[in-house]
Amino acid sequence: MGDPMSSSADLSTILNRILDTAADNLRIAKILVQMGLDPNNITYDALFDRLLEIVLANITLANMFALVGAIFFVATLLMQRMVPLRVANMVGCAFFATSGALSGSAATFLLYLLLLPVNAVRLRQLLRLVKKARSATQGDMSMEWIKPFMTERKYRRGDTLFKIHDTANEMFLTVTGKFLVKEINVEIPPGRLMGELGFLTPNNWRTGTVECIEDGQVLTITYERLLEIYFQSNQQFGYYILLLTSQRLLENNHRLQENISRLEATLAQEKAARETAAARGIA
């Protein structure tokens, strides 16, 4: 059996050699030698001339394409909207693929060539989303276009979807069945949105309690996904949500006015009845 102390010493020696070699390679003098400069005679002019030589030696058509591709890649990191980001990414991939072809690098060429159709498919999906979101702002209040982004869920009679003042994190679209907003005693039929007001409240609180009164199916989408659609659709979807919530608020206001009118009519009838009864008593 070998001596443990000897093995430890050998390992220590190897590590020390590795560290010494790494330190030697990182020395300024050695770097200058590798650049073709004399460490003992360094001037700004000599350094500038050498750097210029290196740059000029690397000015090739392949490197120029790679440089333009790098510029577009950096641009994608600065963009906030998805559509122009995808376009810039596709342009950058095209330049990188061309650079790989010119330099004879098959790996670079194939990598960026395969990224082009991936970005093209995502760009097409985004453009379709933008188009549908824009059509929604022009009066089409249909929710058909958002269904592919939603998840199916089923409820049975007596189930509570959410309660007033609960933390809201998703929106619902009714498909079948009936649902009741308990605070205002309003039934929600199929094809209606629920929970969209919680998306706009400051603390994302539910503004009512919704209960299932007839077995049914709903589609759900999280507020996080809604925000993704909002940013991807160039803010058109935000206006679309405002239209929906405004419509809901107007409906609630109209319903409140009707309730107030009925209450006033009831009070007037009761007052008239009391006055009639009092007049008969006096007579």
Side-chain angles (χ1 to χ4, degrees):
M1 296 181 63
D3 186 0
M5 296 296 294
S6 177
S7 299
S8 177
D10 291 341
L11 180 61
S12 177
T13 301
I14 293 173
L15 290 176
N16 288 333
R17 290 181 62 185
I18 292 174
L19 292 175
D20 290 341
T21 302
D24 184 61
N25 287 333
L26 292 176
R27 289 175 184 169
I28 299 298
K30 190 161 187 176
I31 294 175
L32 293 175
V33 171
Q34 291 174 350
M35 291 177 60
L37 296 171
D38 183 5
N40 299 318
N41 185 24
I42 288 294
T43 64
Y44 288 109
D45 290 339
L47 181 61
F48 177 79
D49 291 340
R50 182 54 184 160
L51 291 176
L52 183 60
E53 288 178 10
I54 295 174
V55 171
L56 293 176
N58 286 277
I59 294 180
T60 63
L61 190 58
N63 287 341
M64 294 303 295
F65 274 94
L67 177 61
V68 176
I71 292 174
F72 277 97
F73 177 77
V74 173
T76 63
L77 302 178
L78 303 176
M79 294 179 179
Q80 297 180 349
R81 296 177 180 175
M82 292 301 296
V83 172
L85 185 151
R86 288 290 177 182
V87 173
N89 204 329
M90 289 180 63
V91 175
C93 287
F95 276 96
F96 276 127
T98 305
S99 173
L102 293 174
S103 62
S105 175
T108 301
F109 173 73
L110 292 176
L111 172 63
Y112 290 102
L113 186 65
L114 291 175
L115 286 177
L116 274 172
V118 173
N119 281 284
V121 171
R122 290 294 295 136
L123 177 62
R124 183 172 179 272
Q125 292 174 344
L126 291 173
L127 291 176
R128 289 177 61 188
L129 179 62
V130 171
K131 181 179 178 180
K132 290 177 179 179
R134 285 177 177 171
S135 66
T137 65
Q138 297 171 359
D140 179 12
M141 302 302 288
S142 171
M143 292 294 294
E144 292 295 323
W145 66 275
I146 202 175
K147 286 183 179 179
F149 301 96
M150 307 183 83
T151 304
E152 178 183 338
R153 191 180 298 168
K154 294 181 179 180
Y155 287 97
R156 300 185 64 85
R157 181 178 179 181
D159 291 344
T160 299
L161 279 70
F162 51 81
K163 297 181 180 179
I164 189 171
H165 297 150
D166 281 352
T167 301
N169 58 7
E170 60 184 352
M171 186 175 71
F172 302 79
L173 176 65
T174 59
V175 180
T176 61
K178 292 182 180 179
F179 303 86
L180 177 69
V181 183
K182 300 182 68 173
E183 284 75 15
I184 56 179
N185 196 34
V186 172
E187 290 187 9
I188 301 178
R192 296 290 300 274
L193 279 178
M194 299 184 298
E196 77 280 8
L197 293 180
F199 181 58
L200 298 178
T201 56
N203 297 316
N204 292 126
W205 282 358
R206 294 297 186 192
T207 58
T209 301
V210 175
E211 181 181 299
C212 179
I213 57 176
E214 180 182 300
D215 293 0
Q217 172 189 344
V218 301
L219 296 175
T220 67
I221 183 170
T222 63
Y223 292 162
E224 183 179 357
R225 189 71 178 100
L226 285 176
L227 285 174
E228 290 179 9
I229 297 175
Y230 166 73
F231 285 112
Q232 292 176 2
S233 63
N234 201 21
Q235 286 75 53
Q236 296 292 332
F237 181 70
Y239 182 58
Y240 175 74
I241 289 293
L242 287 177
L243 288 178
L244 290 175
T245 53
S246 298
Q247 182 182 24
R248 177 62 58 85
L249 291 174
L250 289 173
E251 290 175 356
N252 291 343
N253 182 63
H254 179 68
R255 191 178 296 112
L256 179 62
Q257 293 296 330
E258 289 181 343
N259 292 337
I260 293 174
S261 298
R262 284 196 294 267
L263 179 60
E264 290 177 345
T266 301
L267 292 175
Q269 290 176 359
E270 292 178 354
K271 181 179 179 181
R274 287 196 299 268
E275 291 176 349
T276 301
R280 289 177 179 176
I282 294 174

